[in-house]
Structure formats: structure tokens, C-alpha cells
């Protein structure tokens, strides 16, 4: 694999995985007062649009990365609305 | 413009803009206890890798979207480290 493809894969891995520690922290602590409801509303909408885009252009990396991030984004969004 | 390109553009706009309300909220309230330091560390690294990838493959949308998101991610990261 070329080095730059590896950089792209690592980039996608990091931006997708970054939401895991936030979801884990929020599930554990139930502390949502510092989290922005607006951020997770817009993010969830954006990720749903990315998923739609990926399905339409049949791009597996876009579909995979955004499905996973969307799942975490929805979890965090639901927790913000539950514990606010 | 084709409808699907518009969906992609809206997707990129939403996922980029979603960090604005979080940055504004954190700047205003200085409340960072619900925010995950791990998330913003991994996200900042991931966005830096995306930017590197975009510069290397000379893709302007990737460069633009990730530069803006990276700026907000760094702001939120610095505030988390400052107010923790």
C-alpha cells in the first residue's frame, strides 16, 4: 500500500474512533452539561447525509466510516436529550 | 449541479459546521467537564492526517473542510486542557 493511502486510512480511523471515548465517558458519567446539543443535532444530520451520499455513489469506505460515526453520534445525542 | 453532489456538499457543510456550536458554547460557559479529552486528542490527530492527505492528493474540498474543522477542534482541545 502507498504511504499516502495509509495516511488516508489512519485519518478515517482516527476521526471515526474519536467519538468512542466521548460516548463511553457520557454513558459512564451521565454528565452532558458541557456538551452542545446543537453540535450533535447538526453532526447527526451531516453524517446521515454522508451515509446517503456514500450509498448513492456506492463508496464502501464512506458508507462504513459514516455508519459507525453516526451510531456514536446518535448515542451521544440521545444521552444529551435524556440527561439535560 | 446534480442532486447527489448537493447532498455531498450539504453533508460536508454540516459535519464541518457542527463543531461551531460546541466551540461557542465552551468559550462562553467554560464548562468542559462533560467533554472527552480523548475524543479531541484523537479527532485533532485525525483531522491533521486528513489535511495532510488532502494536501498530498491536491483535493481542495478535503483541504478546506478539514482545515476549518481542525481549527475548531484545536480551540475546543485547548479549552478542555485549560479548564479541566
Amino acid at each position: 500500500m502507498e504511504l499516502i493511502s495509509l495516511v488516508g486510512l489512519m485519518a478515517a480511523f482516527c476521526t471515526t474512533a474519536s467519538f468512542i471515548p466521548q460516548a463511553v465517558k457520557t454513558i459512564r458519567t451521565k454528565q452532558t452539561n458541557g456538551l452542545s446539543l446543537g453540535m450533535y443535532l447538526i453532526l447527526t444530520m451531516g453524517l446521515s447525509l454522508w451515509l446517503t451520499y456514500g450509498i448513492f455513489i456506492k463508496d464502501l469506505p464512506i458508507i462504513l466510516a459514516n455508519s459507525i460515526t453516526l451510531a456514536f453520534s446518535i448515542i451521544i445525542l440521545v444521552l444529551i436529550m435524556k440527561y439535560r
Side-chain angles (χ1 to χ4, degrees), chain A:
Chain A
M1 192 190 287
E2 276 184 64
L3 179 64
I4 195 59
S5 301
L6 197 67
V7 171
L9 271 179
M10 278 169 57
F13 178 79
C14 286
T15 46
T16 301
S18 67
F19 290 90
I20 299 176
Q22 180 65 67
V24 170
K25 180 179 177 138
T26 311
I27 290 168
R28 278 200 188 144
T29 64
K30 296 175 178 149
Q31 205 170 55
T32 59
N33 48 1
L35 294 171
S36 162
L37 175 64
M39 165 171 168
Y40 285 93
L41 280 174
I42 301 170
L43 185 68
T44 300
M45 195 167 71
L47 293 167
S48 305
L49 288 168
W50 270 125
L51 187 57
T52 307
Y53 182 73
I55 291 168
F56 205 91
I57 68 164
K58 296 185 179 68
D59 184 300
L60 195 62
I62 293 181
I63 294 171
L64 272 182
N66 288 289
S67 303
I68 299 168
T69 319
L70 180 61
F72 288 114
S73 176
I74 291 173
I75 290 170
I76 299 166
L77 179 62
V78 167
L79 292 172
I80 292 173
M81 291 195 287
K82 189 175 168 185
Y83 298 127
R84 69 192 309 222

